[in-house]
């Protein structure tokens, strides 16, 4: 049984250490290999596109004074094709100006150096945060989420950064609410992943956290307005509207997405049906957060549900966002061992492994098939990750609905 296999990892300190060391060495090997490839052939080697290449272009356009053009999909496509020296995959730009500001220093570094620095720092931050939360379960969580961490490293995405921020929100929610709120405010770089945490702060009336988050958002918005000019906000909103049409047309790599929308759309539902399916999943995720606060066994468990729910709100969620769910599993595990049967835990582990590994395996398959990699296969390959997370959410809701011990009276009295 998968439960026995995974939970035996924690049987002894020596076994845990071996697993952790092996996984960390593999992650470092991936980082070193990709850094060497980018040093040798640039961020666009072999016609392949690393997401960090788009980050680097945006950083450069800031100093060239035409950042607003990156929010126009046609103009940004031309920038990426010019950098690649020909036809290549493209990445639309919809990040808030705060993320642009964070990337701006990387313009002064070669692409490979910028990639290494960004990825190494965010990897260390994520692993340290996950270790602080997971404790003896660190090795188990690393095994389950190794594929998502690996793909995040390989493309230079920001999932490790957002995972670390969500982790900081959860670690500090009880005893250091101002710091927790500051981390929540920094999540403005990817606001759709912060909705569940924001709802949690409001429902539990953690006003210092809410206030500090609001201060960070407002202050950073003022800085961005001064740095980039007021029109940058209209450019950003325009890119979001354009991204919505891209999503409706199925022009993203939906098989790598982990949202209900992607799963249902690729299963054959029309855009309207997939949208309502996404709305149902988002509503269910927020209901799970509320139930975890009222009926969950501990604030830690409630925060775990918050982290898991974070990737279920928006239709735009990728496999590289799954490190956030790793934080959630680390928070859930101590209570999950007593609340869920071995069979139920086995199902949760299997579903999370499927969501983690599916996009990576399909990407490898499509890359190996030179015709399918650039053709129809990218648009008809099922988006299994979304179905897997829907099943995980259903299991968490079932566990919460049968759990009768209220946690609300402990919101102020117990540490997370």
């Amino acid at each position: 049984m998968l439960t026995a296999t995974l939970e035996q990892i924690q049987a002894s300190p020596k076994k845990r250490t071996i697993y952790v060391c092996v996984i960390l060495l593999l992650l470092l090997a991936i980082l070193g290999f990709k850094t060497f490839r980018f040093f040798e052939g640039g961020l666009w080697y072999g016609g392949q596109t690393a997401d960090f290449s788009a980050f680097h272009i945006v950083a450069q356009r800031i100093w060239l004074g035409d950042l607003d053009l990156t929010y126009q999909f046609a103009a940004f496509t031309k920038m990426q094709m010019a950098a690649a020296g020909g036809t290549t995959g493209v990445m639309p730009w919809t990040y808030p100006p705060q993320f642009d500001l964070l990337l701006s220093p990387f313009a002064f570094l070669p692409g490979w150096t910028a990639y290494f620095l960004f990825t190494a720092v965010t990897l260390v931050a994520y692993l340290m945060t996950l270790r602080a939360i997971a404790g003896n379960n660190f090795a188990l969580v690393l095994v389950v989420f190794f594929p998502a961490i690996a793909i995040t490293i390989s493309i230079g995405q920001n999932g490790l950064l957002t995972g670390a921020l969500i982790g900081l929100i959860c670690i500090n929610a009880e005893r250091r609410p101002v710091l927790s709120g500051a981390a929540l405010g920094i999540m403005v770089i990817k606001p759709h992943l912060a909705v569940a945490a924001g709802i949690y702060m409001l429902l539990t009336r953690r006003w210092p956290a809410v206030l500090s988050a609001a201060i960070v958002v407002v202050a950073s918005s003022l800085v961005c307005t001064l740095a980039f000019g007021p029109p940058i906000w209209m450019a950003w909103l325009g890119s979001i509207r354009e991204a919505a049409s891209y999503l409706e047309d199925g022009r993203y790599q939906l098989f790598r997405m982990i949202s209900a929308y992607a799963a249902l759309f690729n299963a054959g539902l029309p855009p309207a049906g997939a949208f309502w399916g996404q709305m149902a999943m988002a509503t269910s995720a927020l209901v799970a957060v509320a139930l975890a606060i009222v009926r969950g066994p501990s604030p830690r468990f409630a925060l775990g549900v918050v982290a898991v729910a974070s990737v279920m709100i928006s239709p735009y969620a990728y496999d590289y966002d799954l490190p956030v769910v790793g934080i959630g599993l680390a928070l859930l595990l101590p209570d999950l061992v007593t609340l869920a049967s071995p069979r139920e835990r086995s199902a949760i582990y299997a579903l999370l492994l499927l969501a983690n590994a599916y996009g990576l395996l399909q990407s490898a398959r499509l890359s190996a098939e030179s015709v399918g990699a650039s053709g129809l296969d990218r648009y008809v390959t099922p988006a299994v990750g979304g179905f897997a997370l829907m099943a995980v959410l259903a299991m968490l809701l079932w566990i919460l609905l049968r759990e009768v011990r209220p946690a609300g009276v402990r919101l102020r009295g117990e540490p997370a």
Side-chain angles (χ1 to χ4, degrees):
M1 184 178 288
L2 186 59
T3 299
T5 302
L6 287 174
E7 293 182 357
Q8 279 178 1
I9 293 172
Q10 299 149 214
S12 68
K14 182 178 180 180
K15 184 175 290 188
R16 292 196 301 268
T17 301
I18 291 172
Y19 272 92
V20 169
C21 289
V22 169
I23 292 174
L24 293 183
L25 285 174
L26 288 173
L27 295 176
L28 290 175
I30 295 170
L31 176 60
F33 173 75
K34 298 299 289 191
T35 301
F36 175 76
R37 290 300 299 267
F38 294 146
F39 169 76
E40 184 182 45
L43 294 174
W44 307 88
Y45 72 89
Q48 299 183 31
T49 306
D51 286 12
F52 188 81
S53 59
F55 294 3
H56 201 236
I57 290 173
V58 169
Q60 293 171 330
R61 305 315 294 197
I62 290 172
W63 301 101
L64 292 173
D66 57 359
L67 176 64
D68 59 311
L69 293 180
T70 63
Y71 288 106
Q72 300 174 22
F73 284 12
F76 195 46
T77 296
K78 292 179 180 178
M79 294 178 192
Q80 293 177 78
M81 293 179 68
T87 302
T88 186
V90 296
M91 175 182 167
W93 193 253
T94 57
Y95 284 99
Q98 282 91 339
F99 190 59
D100 303 337
L101 193 66
L102 184 150
L103 293 174
S104 58
F106 294 107
F108 300 100
L109 298 172
W112 69 272
T113 308
Y115 159 81
F116 175 79
L117 184 61
F118 177 84
T119 307
V121 170
T122 56
L123 175 62
V124 170
Y126 177 74
L127 292 175
M128 290 179 63
T129 306
L130 182 63
R131 178 67 181 86
I133 293 171
N136 290 339
N137 293 318
F138 185 49
L140 188 156
V141 178
L142 280 182
V143 170
V144 175
F145 284 87
F146 172 79
I149 299 172
I151 199 168
T152 305
I153 293 172
S154 66
I155 61 177
Q157 256 293 348
N158 54 27
L160 299 171
L161 173 61
T162 53
L165 288 171
I166 293 293
L168 288 175
I169 293 169
C170 295
I171 288 175
N172 297 291
E174 289 290 320
R175 297 182 178 178
R176 292 177 288 272
V178 173
L179 181 56
S180 179
L184 178 60
I186 297 173
M187 277 297 295
V188 71
I189 64 173
K190 215 161 184 178
H192 58 283
L193 297 183
V195 173
I199 294 295
Y200 174 87
M201 296 300 181
L202 291 172
L203 290 179
T204 55
R205 301 183 299 279
R206 284 175 169 75
W207 306 124
V210 173
L211 179 60
S212 62
I215 290 172
V216 170
V217 172
V218 171
S220 64
S221 298
L222 289 174
V223 171
C224 290
T225 303
L226 292 173
F228 307 135
I232 196 64
W233 298 104
M234 294 304 298
W236 173 51
L237 293 175
S239 75
I240 294 176
R241 289 191 293 269
E242 200 167 357
S245 67
Y246 264 53
L247 193 61
E248 184 175 341
D249 294 338
R251 298 168 67 180
Y252 288 106
Q253 290 185 0
L254 296 181
F255 72 91
R256 282 191 51 212
M257 284 189 165
I258 55 173
S259 66
Y261 179 93
L264 296 172
F265 183 92
N266 265 22
L269 264 67
F275 173 78
W276 285 110
Q278 178 63 48
M279 292 297 294
M281 185 175 182
T283 302
S284 300
L286 294 179
V287 167
V289 170
L291 282 174
I293 293 170
V294 175
R295 298 173 64 93
S298 67
R300 178 188 177 106
F301 189 88
L303 287 165
V305 174
V306 166
V308 173
S310 295
V311 301
M312 301 181 181
I313 308 299
S314 169
Y316 192 89
Y318 271 95
D319 48 8
Y320 55 72
D321 292 316
L322 283 168
V324 171
V325 183
I327 296 292
L329 180 62
L331 287 162
L332 292 171
L333 274 173
D335 290 310
L336 203 61
V337 171
T338 58
L339 295 177
S341 68
R343 189 183 299 273
E344 289 171 330
R345 297 200 304 278
S346 182
I348 290 173
Y349 296 147
L351 289 165
L352 290 176
L353 276 168
L354 177 60
N356 271 265
Y358 181 78
L360 179 63
L361 294 174
Q362 289 295 343
S363 296
R365 179 183 68 83
L366 291 171
S367 296
E369 300 171 2
S370 58
V371 176
S374 58
L376 186 62
D377 278 3
R378 289 192 179 273
Y379 304 100
V380 299
T381 302
V384 173
F387 287 120
L389 289 185
M390 281 190 272
V392 170
L393 178 61
M395 293 191 69
L396 289 176
L397 282 169
W398 168 245
I399 290 170
L400 286 166
L401 286 171
R402 76 185 183 198
E403 169 63 36
V404 298
R405 186 178 167 212
V409 296
R410 297 187 299 279
L411 286 174
R412 295 289 181 182
E414 289 184 9

